[in-house]
Amino acid sequence: MAAHRQSDGGGDGALSSPRLRHGTPERAGLDAARIARLVRGVRALPEGPRPWCAGAVLIAGRGPVIAAEAACGWAVRHAAYDETADRGVELPVAARVPMTLDTPFDLASITKLFTTIAAVQQIERGTLGIDARVGAYLPDFTAAARHGITVRQLLTHTSGLRPELPLYDAPDMPSRLALLRAEAPSSKPGEFRYSDLNMLLLQHLLQRLTGRALDVLVREGITRPLGMTATSYGPRPGAAATEDQRRPWAKADRGMLRGEVHDENAWALGGVAGHAGLFSTAYDLAVLCRALLNGGSYGTARILGPDFVDLMLAAPGLGFRVDQPSFMGELAGRGAAGHTGFTGTSLVLDPVTDTFLVLLANTVHPRRRPADSGPREAAATRLARAVTGPAGP
């Protein structure tokens, strides 16, 4: 297993909580044979005539113990997508880039979790009201103000805003922001409707409230204290490749992407957005999982208090999806929380069994396909079935 550099991060005088370390499945209270099947299943994902992904990285564990870790396939396998043949144009093997445990990935919508944590930190400090109206902080976002959208509605995807807005088609930044400010709910507020726009509004609210850009809030409030040195907004030249992004299957003509944000709206907004734009590694995301499972603490650092972690993870979840069998498999049903990303990324943490699963893959390389969370569901179910007893110390 690979060794990863760790930083002590910041602290607030709280007692130290356990940090991640490598160990056997048995040490973590996990069945070794079932964990081996989990690893074999992930290693098979880049194989076959129609592989699920070009490559993948897995980290899974229980308590502070990393019990499974694997990298397979390719971070870069294709030079382009051949739309006539409907397949990728493969690079010579010598020119491909193998996947490693330390390969960064475009997290896509997992970015939403970081925006959520940044917002909940302000709620914990008392500077942001969870049931306050967005218009109280952003009066120039006239549609949200007129319709009384609240902070809680943004965090729970119940604002009624449509899933996305074609900001990438607007000619410049002022016109893109004007579209966002004028966007009104298109369905009844209070009903769940997953929307990138919720996190874009939350981004602007946080920036107005704190006077700091979102990337600064994420770095100073989350990644630096936790020692997540591999997590940042792009560009990240060494990241796993994503898509040969071209119309008509994509929303912009940008060619093969590697290290540049895949999401077209995040790209149009300069790469830093509330809904997408972060790059990270599996290990860094495992650290985040452990911090949340530890009630907001990791080592000597604390990013949230336990009550506010519970607020995020309790159904229906703030930012987090809770008990979603479609990608959580048999971990769902007892309070597991997590998220997926369009590029092929996912994480799940289960407070009941103290387990975590990070599965990062570049499923859109060389081009996007219809969503398929079957491998994520299978991996989570294998981890759930591996739980045999109490977590290791």
Side-chain angles (χ1 to χ4, degrees), residues 201-220:
L201 263 64
L202 194 58
Q203 172 189 1
H204 285 278
L205 188 158
L206 290 171
Q207 292 178 160
R208 186 76 56 84
L209 177 68
T210 65
R212 293 184 290 172
L214 181 62
D215 57 336
V216 175
L217 292 172
V218 168
R219 182 175 66 250
E220 294 184 354

Side-chain angles (χ1 to χ4, degrees), residues 177-222:
L177 295 179
L179 286 172
L180 192 59
R181 292 187 182 107
E183 182 67 15
S186 59
S187 62
K188 182 180 178 181
E191 297 177 357
F192 180 83
R193 190 183 190 191
Y194 183 80
S195 173
D196 291 347
L197 304 186
N198 291 316
M199 293 297 153
L200 285 173
L201 263 64
L202 194 58
Q203 172 189 1
H204 285 278
L205 188 158
L206 290 171
Q207 292 178 160
R208 186 76 56 84
L209 177 68
T210 65
R212 293 184 290 172
L214 181 62
D215 57 336
V216 175
L217 292 172
V218 168
R219 182 175 66 250
E220 294 184 354
I222 305 171

Side-chain angles (χ1 to χ4, degrees), residues 110-326:
I110 289 180
T111 301
K112 293 180 172 74
L113 302 185
F114 291 80
T115 307
T116 295
I117 292 169
V120 176
Q121 287 175 333
Q122 296 301 319
I123 293 169
E124 181 179 22
R125 292 166 188 161
T127 56
L128 178 64
I130 190 170
D131 289 310
R133 296 193 174 194
V134 171
Y137 302 92
L138 296 173
D140 50 324
F141 281 63
T142 53
R146 184 169 64 253
H147 288 271
I149 292 175
T150 67
V151 172
R152 188 188 297 271
Q153 288 173 340
L154 297 182
L155 287 166
T156 56
H157 293 284
T158 55
S159 67
L161 293 169
R162 58 174 154 161
E164 68 169 0
L165 191 61
L167 304 176
Y168 45 82
D169 282 338
D172 52 35
M173 192 66 74
S175 59
R176 292 164 194 154
L177 295 179
L179 286 172
L180 192 59
R181 292 187 182 107
E183 182 67 15
S186 59
S187 62
K188 182 180 178 181
E191 297 177 357
F192 180 83
R193 190 183 190 191
Y194 183 80
S195 173
D196 291 347
L197 304 186
N198 291 316
M199 293 297 153
L200 285 173
L201 263 64
L202 194 58
Q203 172 189 1
H204 285 278
L205 188 158
L206 290 171
Q207 292 178 160
R208 186 76 56 84
L209 177 68
T210 65
R212 293 184 290 172
L214 181 62
D215 57 336
V216 175
L217 292 172
V218 168
R219 182 175 66 250
E220 294 184 354
I222 305 171
T223 62
R224 181 181 292 167
L226 295 180
M228 297 171 63
T229 58
T231 304
S232 67
Y233 284 91
R236 291 290 294 276
T242 54
E243 185 176 34
D244 184 1
Q245 195 171 93
R246 289 183 276 141
R247 299 176 194 266
W249 58 84
K251 302 159 190 170
D253 292 300
R254 300 168 62 200
M256 182 60 73
L257 300 176
R258 185 186 184 199
E260 298 289 336
V261 63
H262 176 271
D263 182 89
E264 293 93 340
N265 271 342
W267 164 68
L269 293 170
V272 176
H275 71 293
L278 275 174
F279 289 77
S280 188
T281 61
Y283 182 81
D284 264 22
L285 291 182
V287 168
L288 179 66
C289 289
R290 284 310 319 157
L292 295 173
L293 288 168
N294 286 331
S297 296
Y298 185 76
T300 58
R302 184 181 75 82
I303 60 169
L304 281 172
D307 290 346
F308 291 89
V309 173
D310 291 344
L311 181 66
M312 283 193 304
L313 303 185
L318 300 184
F320 284 79
R321 307 300 307 279
V322 178
D323 286 336
Q324 299 291 310
S326 61

Side-chain angles (χ1 to χ4, degrees), residues 312-375:
M312 283 193 304
L313 303 185
L318 300 184
F320 284 79
R321 307 300 307 279
V322 178
D323 286 336
Q324 299 291 310
S326 61
F327 74 95
M328 297 179 184
E330 292 180 10
L331 287 176
R334 53 197 177 197
H339 216 286
T340 63
F342 186 82
T343 51
T345 57
S346 63
L347 65 83
V348 183
L349 52 98
D350 178 19
V352 171
T353 60
D354 201 24
T355 53
F356 59 93
L357 172 71
V358 179
L359 178 57
L360 305 181
N362 50 352
T363 59
V364 298
H365 183 56
R367 70 155 286 187
R368 66 189 73 185
R369 299 283 183 185
D372 174 15
S373 275

Side-chain angles (χ1 to χ4, degrees), residues 20-33:
L20 285 174
R21 64 180 185 273
H22 296 88
T24 64
E26 294 88 348
R27 183 69 172 168
L30 297 169
D31 181 84

